[in-house]
Amino acid sequence: MFLQLVQQRRTIYQFIDQKVESKKLNQCLEAAIWAPNHGLTQPWRFYVIGNQTQQALTQLYAKLRADKRALAGSEEHQAIYLKACDRFMANPQIVIVGQVCSSDSVKSKEDYAACACAIQNFQLAAWEQGLGVQWSTGPIINEAETYQLLGLNSAEIKLIGILYMGYPECIPESQRLPLSKVVKSYP
Ligand SMILES: Cc1cc2nc3c(=O)[nH]c(=O)nc-3n(C[C@H](O)[C@H](O)[C@H](O)COP(=O)(O)O)c2cc1C
């Protein structure tokens, strides 16, 4: 049932050590591109990360995390760095989402909304297949080095999300306000 799928989907932060089948990943991508988008701009781009690229991104991710939390060169910095490497590499699959840039601010806003719809389609298709996703807007997507690694020009594509995915190790709880708090009806 659709409502059950939507309500039961959770953001997943820990994954078991099992690869994501490319057929399942393709189903998620296929669902993503059928999201609504104004003027059929189809502003989304998906960058499917392979092992070699994940390793390169790992170093960047770990550096950003360690630099934020400890003094470069310190033992603490090194410990955070190594832990972050393990954490990033433990993601069985990573997909980075980009939005095609537009100089028109209205179009840009609408295109971001369309990309968000696409990501939610992706997440729901994943969940239906037993897979979990964490949609992150963490700092790695803003780094010039990430664009370089992916061979992207930041004047053409803006990276808007990084999707970590795999089979869930545990499923967290979440909650929402009741409808009565967020819906107002008019006669
Ligand atoms: C635009 C957007 C950005 C998000 N960025 C992050 C993020 O950077 N890190 C993170 O852990 N979760 C991120 N999330 C996931 C939310 O934290 C998550 O959806 C929220 O906690 C509700 O949990 P649920 O998805 O399990 O219902 C993001 C979600 C959205 C829609």
Side-chain angles (χ1 to χ4, degrees):
M1 195 180 127
F2 180 70
L3 183 58
Q4 227 172 34
L5 177 73
V6 172
Q7 287 177 330
Q8 288 177 358
R9 178 212 58 82
R10 291 279 68 80
T11 292
I12 299 300
Y13 298 92
Q14 284 165 293
F15 305 102
I16 61 168
D17 185 12
Q18 188 177 327
K19 277 194 180 318
V20 173
E21 299 87 338
S22 51
K23 201 175 159 197
K24 288 192 176 184
L25 174 58
N26 277 337
Q27 288 270 97
C28 298
L29 293 165
E30 192 63 40
I33 64 169
W34 283 95
N37 59 107
H38 193 186
L40 272 186
T41 53
Q42 303 179 71
W44 39 70
R45 297 293 181 267
F46 300 94
Y47 306 104
V48 177
I49 305 303
N51 193 263
Q52 194 184 317
T53 309
Q54 187 165 345
Q55 282 185 26
L57 286 170
T58 292
Q59 290 171 32
L60 178 59
Y61 171 86
K63 187 179 177 309
L64 288 170
R65 236 180 132 76
D67 284 354
K68 195 176 165 193
R69 290 170 174 77
L71 198 66
S74 67
E75 263 181 42
E76 193 191 359
H77 188 277
Q78 180 68 359
I80 296 171
Y81 181 89
L82 293 174
K83 205 172 157 195
C85 285
D86 288 346
R87 181 179 162 156
F88 198 83
M89 282 309 291
N91 293 298
Q93 180 65 61
I94 293 176
V95 176
I96 298 181
V97 185
Q99 176 184 339
V100 176
C101 296
S102 165
S103 53
D104 179 331
S105 67
V106 173
K107 191 173 163 201
S108 197
K109 201 171 166 184
E110 289 190 339
D111 282 350
Y112 183 72
C115 287
C117 293
I119 294 173
Q120 177 66 345
N121 277 6
F122 182 103
Q123 294 199 104
L124 290 173
W127 197 257
E128 196 188 28
Q129 300 179 93
L131 290 158
V133 177
Q134 180 198 352
W135 171 357
S136 170
T137 43
I140 194 166
I141 60 170
N142 300 318
E143 288 296 305
E145 210 176 318
T146 305
Y147 284 84
Q148 250 171 35
L149 273 167
L150 301 180
L152 299 173
N153 179 348
S154 59
E156 292 168 0
I157 297 287
K158 180 172 170 54
L159 297 178
I160 57 163
I162 177 162
L163 309 178
Y164 301 107
M165 75 184 298
Y167 290 94
E169 184 164 284
C170 55
I171 299 175
E173 303 252 305
S174 192
Q175 54 185 356
R176 297 295 188 267
L177 293 169
L179 281 183
S180 59
K181 296 267 187 216
V182 294
V183 177
K184 187 173 173 186
S185 300
Y186 295 86

